[in-house]
Amino acid sequence: MNLEQEKEIAAKEAVKLLRDNMIVGLGTGSSSFYAIREIAKLVSNGLKIKAVPTSNKTKELAEALNIPLIDINLINSIDITIDGADEFTSDLILIKGGGGALLREKIVASLTKQEIIIADSSKEVKQIGKFKVPIEVIPFASNYALNQIKILNGIGKIRMTGDTPFKTDQANNIIDADFGLISDPASLSKKLNEINGIVGHGIFIGLTSKVIMGKGDSTVIFD
Ligand SMILES: O=C[C@H](O)[C@H](O)[C@H](O)COP(=O)(O)O
């Protein structure tokens, strides 16, 4: 079983939680895309949902697959979201944002009653931090934020696409920051939130209901 198959197995398990009339958050990334494909099949077989995408890429995919969407500003809560992660611990602390979608993902997760994370078995860690923390910053504050990250003992680098800075859906920059293994994610999360110009970061704490991890040809649940 390879990691792609594990993502797919986890995605298939997660979509079993969908019911008629739910508002469903759609994650971003390769694991989420397996789930979106499964959701499209259920919709074409009559499942009645409305979906909120976490990125422009996911929105395009959902539209192409005829999944009905709803504007996030017309709703006050989301019943269930299926999203991926770059790292997770057994106590449901995550790093997200490898694809740059962390800000909308965090907002959607904050509105969500049941946040389901799907992952392959390579994403499980004892302590987060091997994967660099993605941090979204307004371009005006990029250098300031890099210096503030240094004060927090992190080494930040602006994410590039070739020769130009990667741009998020909000036209912001991403700083990928190496803090080593993070012993106190809550404290780091709070400190990053306090830096002016940083609009979001990829440490997710207290937002996840359940991780469904594909392992071999079955799933392991963390909740
Ligand atoms: O910005 C991207 C998201 O946080 C993804 O959910 C995360 O990077 C995991 O992506 P993948 O499922 O492709 O490993």
Side-chain angles (χ1 to χ4, degrees):
M1 252 326 136
N2 64 30
L3 298 180
E4 288 307 305
Q5 286 168 311
E6 289 184 348
K7 290 177 194 177
E8 191 170 1
I9 287 167
K12 285 187 170 161
E13 192 59 33
V15 301
K16 289 181 188 165
L17 298 167
L18 301 195
R19 301 285 178 270
D20 273 335
N21 304 316
M22 278 184 163
I23 297 188
V24 179
L26 303 176
T28 296
S30 56
S31 315
S32 299
F33 292 162
Y34 285 112
I36 294 166
R37 210 177 58 187
E38 293 305 314
I39 293 170
K41 283 185 207 162
L42 294 172
V43 167
S44 78
N45 288 331
L47 179 74
K48 289 189 179 27
I49 56 154
K50 291 208 166 88
V52 178
T54 51
S55 63
N56 291 341
K57 201 167 171 196
T58 290
K59 180 169 186 266
E60 281 164 23
L61 183 66
E63 281 169 348
L65 295 173
N66 298 314
I67 298 174
L69 300 179
I70 186 162
D71 184 335
I72 191 167
N73 284 308
L74 297 179
I75 55 174
N76 296 314
S77 68
I78 294 170
D79 295 297
I80 185 167
T81 291
I82 302 176
D83 202 347
D86 299 296
E87 283 186 348
F88 72 91
T89 64
S90 57
D91 51 356
L92 308 184
I93 294 173
L94 320 176
I95 291 186
K96 288 182 53 54
L102 60 111
L103 182 58
R104 292 191 194 187
E105 288 177 337
K106 202 175 255 187
I107 293 162
V108 166
S110 303
L111 279 168
T112 293
K113 294 178 198 159
Q114 244 195 111
E115 175 84 7
I116 308 296
I117 296 297
I118 51 174
D120 62 68
S121 57
S122 73
K123 308 284 182 62
E124 186 193 358
V125 295
K126 292 247 170 306
Q127 225 176 347
I128 58 164
K130 188 160 178 245
F131 194 92
K132 295 185 181 70
V133 180
I135 299 169
E136 180 159 346
V137 61
I138 67 164
F140 187 83
S142 290
N143 194 49
Y144 169 71
L146 283 169
N147 286 327
Q148 293 299 114
I149 287 165
K150 214 180 275 171
I151 293 170
L152 299 177
N153 294 320
I155 303 168
K157 265 204 181 126
I158 306 256
R159 189 182 297 180
M160 303 294 287
T161 311
D163 289 341
T164 50
F166 170 90
K167 288 286 171 197
T168 67
D169 286 344
Q170 292 71 236
N172 290 322
N173 294 343
I174 294 281
I175 295 173
D176 292 302
D178 187 353
F179 294 96
L181 290 182
I182 300 166
S183 53
D184 190 347
S187 158
L188 179 60
S189 166
K190 191 166 176 284
K191 286 176 184 156
L192 290 172
N193 284 335
E194 284 166 357
I195 299 174
N196 291 322
I198 287 180
V199 290
H201 62 75
I203 300 174
F204 282 46
I205 301 173
L207 292 168
T208 303
S209 316
K210 188 189 280 192
V211 175
I212 302 178
M213 180 182 84
K215 186 150 178 77
D217 56 8
S218 59
T219 54
V220 182
I221 309 291
F222 300 82
D223 56 9

